[in-house]
Amino acid sequence: MTTPLSLRSQAEALAAPLPPLLAEAAHLASTVLLGDHGRRRAGTGDTFWQYRPAQAHDEARSIDWRRSARSDANFVQDKEWQIAQSIILWVDQAASMSFRSDDNLPTKAARARTLGLACAILLIRGGERVGLTGLRLPPRRGEAQLMQMAQLLSREEDTDYGAPEAQGMLPHSRAVFVSDFLGDLKPIEEALLRAADRGVGGALLQVLDPQEEAFPFDGRTIFESMSGALRHETLKAGDLKSRYLDRLAERKDKLQHLARITGWQFQTHHTGESATSALLWLYGALERSA
């Protein structure tokens, strides 16, 4: 039977990582100076984007007569497209993401959570609705949404490798998948194809530890998955390096190909690199897929 004391203890343990996660994500978001958010294409809005020559279908009241007076042609102001859209986020929370090769580096999970939440902060500040895949958290705006998102992203899964759920992706919305993508690629492919069928564009961000790129092993080595379910021992780890690097390169090529044919963007980020550069890429990738 759950007592009030044990319930409070469990609640405090659950809430403990939220303020640091939110603070780190907010700090990361604050380093990215994006200004007012806009679609950078003509549409409904109040923010001026550009002048363009008037066309036959433009009404006379839409002509900017002050700008037109400075030339022999009539000009119209285009406004930026400012209708809010929905963005669905998936951050891999499987056991493989808890790996780090050095205590001075963040785990892949910590970096992925921070990047995902920082991206959500920027998008919500820009007036977008952000949610999580799999119908766990429908897209909404506001600080309460960010708190719920941080709570859900702080949980961990028992499986070795994660896979996104295509549920919850609204037609013509956008999505972000953040993972090491080291598990079976079939669920990733299926999710991207389903997204493409709905006109959903987005970004794949692969987060890897530097050691996973370098494979600095030699001699007798025991390789074990983070959950302990998979284990392999070898006396000549150095002999595996070229095959491992070839397979990693092949996997990246497959992810790049999947992104290209579905209209998504793909990038690899290492936990030893700047989180700010990865956030800038993510935000820019979403703009390109809009």
PDB file of all heavy atoms in Angstrom, residues 110-142:
ATOM      1  N   ALA A 110      21.072  12.582 -22.389  1.00  0.00           N
ATOM      2  CA  ALA A 110      21.039  13.934 -21.829  1.00  0.00           C
ATOM      3  C   ALA A 110      21.136  14.980 -22.925  1.00  0.00           C
ATOM      4  O   ALA A 110      20.408  15.982 -22.919  1.00  0.00           O
ATOM      5  CB  ALA A 110      22.172  14.110 -20.821  1.00  0.00           C
ATOM      6  N   ARG A 111      22.034  14.773 -23.890  1.00  0.00           N
ATOM      7  CA  ARG A 111      22.169  15.739 -24.985  1.00  0.00           C
ATOM      8  C   ARG A 111      20.918  15.741 -25.852  1.00  0.00           C
ATOM      9  O   ARG A 111      20.439  16.806 -26.262  1.00  0.00           O
ATOM     10  CB  ARG A 111      23.405  15.383 -25.817  1.00  0.00           C
ATOM     11  CG  ARG A 111      23.637  16.286 -27.031  1.00  0.00           C
ATOM     12  CD  ARG A 111      23.738  17.768 -26.699  1.00  0.00           C
ATOM     13  NE  ARG A 111      24.775  18.111 -25.775  1.00  0.00           N
ATOM     14  CZ  ARG A 111      26.054  18.326 -26.112  1.00  0.00           C
ATOM     15  NH1 ARG A 111      26.434  18.209 -27.383  1.00  0.00           N
ATOM     16  NH2 ARG A 111      26.935  18.672 -25.187  1.00  0.00           N
ATOM     17  N   ALA A 112      20.362  14.570 -26.128  1.00  0.00           N
ATOM     18  CA  ALA A 112      19.164  14.491 -26.973  1.00  0.00           C
ATOM     19  C   ALA A 112      17.973  15.162 -26.309  1.00  0.00           C
ATOM     20  O   ALA A 112      17.219  15.905 -26.954  1.00  0.00           O
ATOM     21  CB  ALA A 112      18.843  13.029 -27.282  1.00  0.00           C
ATOM     22  N   ARG A 113      17.790  14.915 -24.999  1.00  0.00           N
ATOM     23  CA  ARG A 113      16.685  15.552 -24.275  1.00  0.00           C
ATOM     24  C   ARG A 113      16.831  17.071 -24.278  1.00  0.00           C
ATOM     25  O   ARG A 113      15.858  17.799 -24.497  1.00  0.00           O
ATOM     26  CB  ARG A 113      16.640  15.058 -22.828  1.00  0.00           C
ATOM     27  CG  ARG A 113      16.073  13.674 -22.636  1.00  0.00           C
ATOM     28  CD  ARG A 113      15.746  13.427 -21.178  1.00  0.00           C
ATOM     29  NE  ARG A 113      16.929  13.522 -20.316  1.00  0.00           N
ATOM     30  CZ  ARG A 113      17.623  12.479 -19.898  1.00  0.00           C
ATOM     31  NH1 ARG A 113      17.285  11.254 -20.279  1.00  0.00           N
ATOM     32  NH2 ARG A 113      18.676  12.642 -19.106  1.00  0.00           N
ATOM     33  N   THR A 114      18.045  17.539 -24.017  1.00  0.00           N
ATOM     34  CA  THR A 114      18.272  18.982 -23.959  1.00  0.00           C
ATOM     35  C   THR A 114      18.008  19.625 -25.316  1.00  0.00           C
ATOM     36  O   THR A 114      17.357  20.678 -25.401  1.00  0.00           O
ATOM     37  CB  THR A 114      19.710  19.284 -23.508  1.00  0.00           C
ATOM     38  OG1 THR A 114      19.939  18.682 -22.228  1.00  0.00           O
ATOM     39  CG2 THR A 114      19.953  20.778 -23.411  1.00  0.00           C
ATOM     40  N   LEU A 115      18.502  19.010 -26.371  1.00  0.00           N
ATOM     41  CA  LEU A 115      18.285  19.556 -27.715  1.00  0.00           C
ATOM     42  C   LEU A 115      16.804  19.540 -28.087  1.00  0.00           C
ATOM     43  O   LEU A 115      16.284  20.515 -28.643  1.00  0.00           O
ATOM     44  CB  LEU A 115      19.094  18.763 -28.744  1.00  0.00           C
ATOM     45  CG  LEU A 115      20.595  19.035 -28.769  1.00  0.00           C
ATOM     46  CD1 LEU A 115      21.307  18.032 -29.680  1.00  0.00           C
ATOM     47  CD2 LEU A 115      20.877  20.459 -29.233  1.00  0.00           C
ATOM     48  N   GLY A 116      16.133  18.425 -27.787  1.00  0.00           N
ATOM     49  CA  GLY A 116      14.718  18.335 -28.118  1.00  0.00           C
ATOM     50  C   GLY A 116      13.893  19.375 -27.386  1.00  0.00           C
ATOM     51  O   GLY A 116      13.041  20.049 -27.984  1.00  0.00           O
ATOM     52  N   LEU A 117      14.154  19.536 -26.099  1.00  0.00           N
ATOM     53  CA  LEU A 117      13.381  20.494 -25.310  1.00  0.00           C
ATOM     54  C   LEU A 117      13.734  21.929 -25.677  1.00  0.00           C
ATOM     55  O   LEU A 117      12.861  22.805 -25.717  1.00  0.00           O
ATOM     56  CB  LEU A 117      13.614  20.244 -23.820  1.00  0.00           C
ATOM     57  CG  LEU A 117      12.619  20.908 -22.860  1.00  0.00           C
ATOM     58  CD1 LEU A 117      11.192  20.470 -23.176  1.00  0.00           C
ATOM     59  CD2 LEU A 117      12.967  20.582 -21.423  1.00  0.00           C
ATOM     60  N   ALA A 118      15.014  22.194 -25.958  1.00  0.00           N
ATOM     61  CA  ALA A 118      15.415  23.544 -26.379  1.00  0.00           C
ATOM     62  C   ALA A 118      14.755  23.911 -27.701  1.00  0.00           C
ATOM     63  O   ALA A 118      14.309  25.054 -27.900  1.00  0.00           O
ATOM     64  CB  ALA A 118      16.934  23.629 -26.501  1.00  0.00           C
ATOM     65  N   CYS A 119      14.675  22.945 -28.603  1.00  0.00           N
ATOM     66  CA  CYS A 119      13.995  23.179 -29.882  1.00  0.00           C
ATOM     67  C   CYS A 119      12.517  23.481 -29.637  1.00  0.00           C
ATOM     68  O   CYS A 119      11.952  24.392 -30.247  1.00  0.00           O
ATOM     69  CB  CYS A 119      14.159  21.959 -30.782  1.00  0.00           C
ATOM     70  SG  CYS A 119      13.562  22.208 -32.467  1.00  0.00           S
ATOM     71  N   ALA A 120      11.900  22.734 -28.719  1.00  0.00           N
ATOM     72  CA  ALA A 120      10.491  22.980 -28.390  1.00  0.00           C
ATOM     73  C   ALA A 120      10.293  24.374 -27.807  1.00  0.00           C
ATOM     74  O   ALA A 120       9.309  25.055 -28.118  1.00  0.00           O
ATOM     75  CB  ALA A 120      10.006  21.919 -27.404  1.00  0.00           C
ATOM     76  N   ILE A 121      11.226  24.819 -26.962  1.00  0.00           N
ATOM     77  CA  ILE A 121      11.136  26.161 -26.377  1.00  0.00           C
ATOM     78  C   ILE A 121      11.158  27.223 -27.469  1.00  0.00           C
ATOM     79  O   ILE A 121      10.343  28.157 -27.474  1.00  0.00           O
ATOM     80  CB  ILE A 121      12.287  26.382 -25.374  1.00  0.00           C
ATOM     81  CG1 ILE A 121      12.063  25.534 -24.119  1.00  0.00           C
ATOM     82  CG2 ILE A 121      12.405  27.861 -24.996  1.00  0.00           C
ATOM     83  CD1 ILE A 121      13.239  25.531 -23.167  1.00  0.00           C
ATOM     84  N   LEU A 122      12.084  27.088 -28.408  1.00  0.00           N
ATOM     85  CA  LEU A 122      12.163  28.056 -29.506  1.00  0.00           C
ATOM     86  C   LEU A 122      10.890  28.060 -30.340  1.00  0.00           C
ATOM     87  O   LEU A 122      10.383  29.122 -30.717  1.00  0.00           O
ATOM     88  CB  LEU A 122      13.362  27.734 -30.394  1.00  0.00           C
ATOM     89  CG  LEU A 122      14.752  27.985 -29.807  1.00  0.00           C
ATOM     90  CD1 LEU A 122      15.821  27.547 -30.797  1.00  0.00           C
ATOM     91  CD2 LEU A 122      14.938  29.447 -29.446  1.00  0.00           C
ATOM     92  N   LEU A 123      10.377  26.877 -30.634  1.00  0.00           N
ATOM     93  CA  LEU A 123       9.185  26.780 -31.474  1.00  0.00           C
ATOM     94  C   LEU A 123       7.956  27.355 -30.765  1.00  0.00           C
ATOM     95  O   LEU A 123       7.161  28.077 -31.379  1.00  0.00           O
ATOM     96  CB  LEU A 123       8.949  25.325 -31.858  1.00  0.00           C
ATOM     97  CG  LEU A 123       9.976  24.729 -32.827  1.00  0.00           C
ATOM     98  CD1 LEU A 123       9.851  23.215 -32.867  1.00  0.00           C
ATOM     99  CD2 LEU A 123       9.808  25.315 -34.220  1.00  0.00           C
ATOM    100  N   ILE A 124       7.801  27.044 -29.488  1.00  0.00           N
ATOM    101  CA  ILE A 124       6.656  27.562 -28.742  1.00  0.00           C
ATOM    102  C   ILE A 124       6.762  29.079 -28.582  1.00  0.00           C
ATOM    103  O   ILE A 124       5.763  29.799 -28.670  1.00  0.00           O
ATOM    104  CB  ILE A 124       6.541  26.845 -27.381  1.00  0.00           C
ATOM    105  CG1 ILE A 124       6.002  25.424 -27.604  1.00  0.00           C
ATOM    106  CG2 ILE A 124       5.638  27.614 -26.413  1.00  0.00           C
ATOM    107  CD1 ILE A 124       5.911  24.576 -26.356  1.00  0.00           C
ATOM    108  N   ARG A 125       7.987  29.588 -28.373  1.00  0.00           N
ATOM    109  CA  ARG A 125       8.168  31.043 -28.321  1.00  0.00           C
ATOM    110  C   ARG A 125       7.785  31.681 -29.649  1.00  0.00           C
ATOM    111  O   ARG A 125       7.344  32.833 -29.701  1.00  0.00           O
ATOM    112  CB  ARG A 125       9.628  31.372 -28.011  1.00  0.00           C
ATOM    113  CG  ARG A 125      10.013  31.186 -26.559  1.00  0.00           C
ATOM    114  CD  ARG A 125      11.474  31.511 -26.369  1.00  0.00           C
ATOM    115  NE  ARG A 125      11.915  31.307 -24.990  1.00  0.00           N
ATOM    116  CZ  ARG A 125      13.180  31.380 -24.608  1.00  0.00           C
ATOM    117  NH1 ARG A 125      14.125  31.671 -25.488  1.00  0.00           N
ATOM    118  NH2 ARG A 125      13.497  31.183 -23.346  1.00  0.00           N
ATOM    119  N   GLY A 126       7.964  30.933 -30.728  1.00  0.00           N
ATOM    120  CA  GLY A 126       7.606  31.441 -32.054  1.00  0.00           C
ATOM    121  C   GLY A 126       6.147  31.255 -32.403  1.00  0.00           C
ATOM    122  O   GLY A 126       5.741  31.528 -33.528  1.00  0.00           O
ATOM    123  N   GLY A 127       5.350  30.770 -31.440  1.00  0.00           N
ATOM    124  CA  GLY A 127       3.914  30.646 -31.673  1.00  0.00           C
ATOM    125  C   GLY A 127       3.470  29.295 -32.184  1.00  0.00           C
ATOM    126  O   GLY A 127       2.301  29.109 -32.524  1.00  0.00           O
ATOM    127  N   GLU A 128       4.395  28.324 -32.256  1.00  0.00           N
ATOM    128  CA  GLU A 128       4.040  27.004 -32.760  1.00  0.00           C
ATOM    129  C   GLU A 128       3.427  26.137 -31.666  1.00  0.00           C
ATOM    130  O   GLU A 128       3.549  26.417 -30.470  1.00  0.00           O
ATOM    131  CB  GLU A 128       5.299  26.290 -33.303  1.00  0.00           C
ATOM    132  CG  GLU A 128       6.073  27.066 -34.346  1.00  0.00           C
ATOM    133  CD  GLU A 128       5.429  27.034 -35.719  1.00  0.00           C
ATOM    134  OE1 GLU A 128       4.182  26.943 -35.794  1.00  0.00           O
ATOM    135  OE2 GLU A 128       6.150  27.107 -36.718  1.00  0.00           O
ATOM    136  N   ARG A 129       2.785  25.065 -32.091  1.00  0.00           N
ATOM    137  CA  ARG A 129       2.293  24.038 -31.173  1.00  0.00           C
ATOM    138  C   ARG A 129       3.242  22.852 -31.258  1.00  0.00           C
ATOM    139  O   ARG A 129       3.528  22.362 -32.349  1.00  0.00           O
ATOM    140  CB  ARG A 129       0.874  23.604 -31.544  1.00  0.00           C
ATOM    141  CG  ARG A 129      -0.176  24.718 -31.449  1.00  0.00           C
ATOM    142  CD  ARG A 129      -1.556  24.181 -31.784  1.00  0.00           C
ATOM    143  NE  ARG A 129      -1.616  23.726 -33.160  1.00  0.00           N
ATOM    144  CZ  ARG A 129      -2.021  24.482 -34.178  1.00  0.00           C
ATOM    145  NH1 ARG A 129      -2.383  25.730 -33.961  1.00  0.00           N
ATOM    146  NH2 ARG A 129      -2.061  24.002 -35.400  1.00  0.00           N
ATOM    147  N   VAL A 130       3.684  22.374 -30.107  1.00  0.00           N
ATOM    148  CA  VAL A 130       4.654  21.277 -30.075  1.00  0.00           C
ATOM    149  C   VAL A 130       4.121  20.164 -29.183  1.00  0.00           C
ATOM    150  O   VAL A 130       3.556  20.423 -28.117  1.00  0.00           O
ATOM    151  CB  VAL A 130       6.033  21.748 -29.558  1.00  0.00           C
ATOM    152  CG1 VAL A 130       7.047  20.617 -29.622  1.00  0.00           C
ATOM    153  CG2 VAL A 130       6.526  22.944 -30.366  1.00  0.00           C
ATOM    154  N   GLY A 131       4.316  18.917 -29.636  1.00  0.00           N
ATOM    155  CA  GLY A 131       3.892  17.764 -28.851  1.00  0.00           C
ATOM    156  C   GLY A 131       4.852  16.605 -29.045  1.00  0.00           C
ATOM    157  O   GLY A 131       5.895  16.749 -29.684  1.00  0.00           O
ATOM    158  N   LEU A 132       4.498  15.459 -28.495  1.00  0.00           N
ATOM    159  CA  LEU A 132       5.328  14.255 -28.588  1.00  0.00           C
ATOM    160  C   LEU A 132       4.619  13.202 -29.422  1.00  0.00           C
ATOM    161  O   LEU A 132       3.382  13.144 -29.463  1.00  0.00           O
ATOM    162  CB  LEU A 132       5.630  13.695 -27.197  1.00  0.00           C
ATOM    163  CG  LEU A 132       6.387  14.619 -26.245  1.00  0.00           C
ATOM    164  CD1 LEU A 132       6.560  13.948 -24.886  1.00  0.00           C
ATOM    165  CD2 LEU A 132       7.744  15.009 -26.820  1.00  0.00           C
ATOM    166  N   THR A 133       5.400  12.342 -30.070  1.00  0.00           N
ATOM    167  CA  THR A 133       4.841  11.298 -30.916  1.00  0.00           C
ATOM    168  C   THR A 133       4.104  10.262 -30.075  1.00  0.00           C
ATOM    169  O   THR A 133       4.242  10.188 -28.858  1.00  0.00           O
ATOM    170  CB  THR A 133       5.939  10.579 -31.713  1.00  0.00           C
ATOM    171  OG1 THR A 133       6.896  10.028 -30.787  1.00  0.00           O
ATOM    172  CG2 THR A 133       6.628  11.505 -32.674  1.00  0.00           C
ATOM    173  N   GLY A 134       3.336   9.424 -30.788  1.00  0.00           N
ATOM    174  CA  GLY A 134       2.646   8.331 -30.124  1.00  0.00           C
ATOM    175  C   GLY A 134       1.447   8.762 -29.307  1.00  0.00           C
ATOM    176  O   GLY A 134       1.005   8.027 -28.421  1.00  0.00           O
ATOM    177  N   LEU A 135       0.914   9.953 -29.564  1.00  0.00           N
ATOM    178  CA  LEU A 135      -0.262  10.470 -28.857  1.00  0.00           C
ATOM    179  C   LEU A 135      -0.028  10.647 -27.361  1.00  0.00           C
ATOM    180  O   LEU A 135      -0.963  10.754 -26.578  1.00  0.00           O
ATOM    181  CB  LEU A 135      -1.474   9.539 -29.079  1.00  0.00           C
ATOM    182  CG  LEU A 135      -1.853   9.272 -30.552  1.00  0.00           C
ATOM    183  CD1 LEU A 135      -3.005   8.286 -30.627  1.00  0.00           C
ATOM    184  CD2 LEU A 135      -2.209  10.563 -31.262  1.00  0.00           C
ATOM    185  N   ARG A 136       1.255  10.655 -26.926  1.00  0.00           N
ATOM    186  CA  ARG A 136       1.543  10.850 -25.504  1.00  0.00           C
ATOM    187  C   ARG A 136       1.227  12.264 -25.060  1.00  0.00           C
ATOM    188  O   ARG A 136       0.806  12.496 -23.928  1.00  0.00           O
ATOM    189  CB  ARG A 136       3.020  10.547 -25.221  1.00  0.00           C
ATOM    190  CG  ARG A 136       3.408   9.103 -25.328  1.00  0.00           C
ATOM    191  CD  ARG A 136       4.835   8.904 -24.876  1.00  0.00           C
ATOM    192  NE  ARG A 136       5.769   9.627 -25.725  1.00  0.00           N
ATOM    193  CZ  ARG A 136       7.041   9.875 -25.401  1.00  0.00           C
ATOM    194  NH1 ARG A 136       7.504   9.473 -24.229  1.00  0.00           N
ATOM    195  NH2 ARG A 136       7.829  10.521 -26.231  1.00  0.00           N
ATOM    196  N   LEU A 137       1.462  13.223 -25.959  1.00  0.00           N
ATOM    197  CA  LEU A 137       1.247  14.630 -25.613  1.00  0.00           C
ATOM    198  C   LEU A 137       0.881  15.382 -26.889  1.00  0.00           C
ATOM    199  O   LEU A 137       1.756  15.701 -27.687  1.00  0.00           O
ATOM    200  CB  LEU A 137       2.517  15.220 -24.987  1.00  0.00           C
ATOM    201  CG  LEU A 137       2.393  16.602 -24.358  1.00  0.00           C
ATOM    202  CD1 LEU A 137       1.426  16.565 -23.174  1.00  0.00           C
ATOM    203  CD2 LEU A 137       3.763  17.101 -23.910  1.00  0.00           C
ATOM    204  N   PRO A 138      -0.410  15.651 -27.103  1.00  0.00           N
ATOM    205  CA  PRO A 138      -0.833  16.360 -28.313  1.00  0.00           C
ATOM    206  C   PRO A 138      -0.191  17.741 -28.395  1.00  0.00           C
ATOM    207  O   PRO A 138       0.123  18.347 -27.366  1.00  0.00           O
ATOM    208  CB  PRO A 138      -2.354  16.458 -28.147  1.00  0.00           C
ATOM    209  CG  PRO A 138      -2.712  15.378 -27.189  1.00  0.00           C
ATOM    210  CD  PRO A 138      -1.536  15.261 -26.256  1.00  0.00           C
ATOM    211  N   PRO A 139       0.012  18.259 -29.599  1.00  0.00           N
ATOM    212  CA  PRO A 139       0.657  19.568 -29.762  1.00  0.00           C
ATOM    213  C   PRO A 139      -0.139  20.697 -29.116  1.00  0.00           C
ATOM    214  O   PRO A 139      -1.341  20.841 -29.336  1.00  0.00           O
ATOM    215  CB  PRO A 139       0.703  19.745 -31.289  1.00  0.00           C
ATOM    216  CG  PRO A 139       0.602  18.373 -31.844  1.00  0.00           C
ATOM    217  CD  PRO A 139      -0.275  17.622 -30.898  1.00  0.00           C
ATOM    218  N   ARG A 140       0.561  21.477 -28.288  1.00  0.00           N
ATOM    219  CA  ARG A 140      -0.036  22.654 -27.651  1.00  0.00           C
ATOM    220  C   ARG A 140       1.039  23.712 -27.467  1.00  0.00           C
ATOM    221  O   ARG A 140       2.212  23.467 -27.677  1.00  0.00           O
ATOM    222  CB  ARG A 140      -0.631  22.309 -26.270  1.00  0.00           C
ATOM    223  CG  ARG A 140      -1.775  21.310 -26.285  1.00  0.00           C
ATOM    224  CD  ARG A 140      -2.420  21.207 -24.912  1.00  0.00           C
ATOM    225  NE  ARG A 140      -3.457  20.183 -24.872  1.00  0.00           N
ATOM    226  CZ  ARG A 140      -3.270  18.934 -24.488  1.00  0.00           C
ATOM    227  NH1 ARG A 140      -2.055  18.534 -24.109  1.00  0.00           N
ATOM    228  NH2 ARG A 140      -4.260  18.064 -24.467  1.00  0.00           N
ATOM    229  N   ARG A 141       0.622  24.892 -27.017  1.00  0.00           N
ATOM    230  CA  ARG A 141       1.553  25.967 -26.697  1.00  0.00           C
ATOM    231  C   ARG A 141       1.670  26.106 -25.183  1.00  0.00           C
ATOM    232  O   ARG A 141       0.924  25.488 -24.438  1.00  0.00           O
ATOM    233  CB  ARG A 141       1.065  27.296 -27.281  1.00  0.00           C
ATOM    234  CG  ARG A 141       0.862  27.314 -28.790  1.00  0.00           C
ATOM    235  CD  ARG A 141       0.539  28.737 -29.225  1.00  0.00           C
ATOM    236  NE  ARG A 141       0.222  28.809 -30.643  1.00  0.00           N
ATOM    237  CZ  ARG A 141      -1.012  28.753 -31.132  1.00  0.00           C
ATOM    238  NH1 ARG A 141      -2.036  28.615 -30.295  1.00  0.00           N
ATOM    239  NH2 ARG A 141      -1.239  28.841 -32.423  1.00  0.00           N
ATOM    240  N   GLY A 142       2.602  26.949 -24.733  1.00  0.00           N
ATOM    241  CA  GLY A 142       2.626  27.357 -23.340  1.00  0.00           C
ATOM    242  C   GLY A 142       3.652  26.675 -22.470  1.00  0.00           C
ATOM    243  O   GLY A 142       4.203  25.627 -22.813  1.00  0.00           O
TER     244      GLY A 142
END
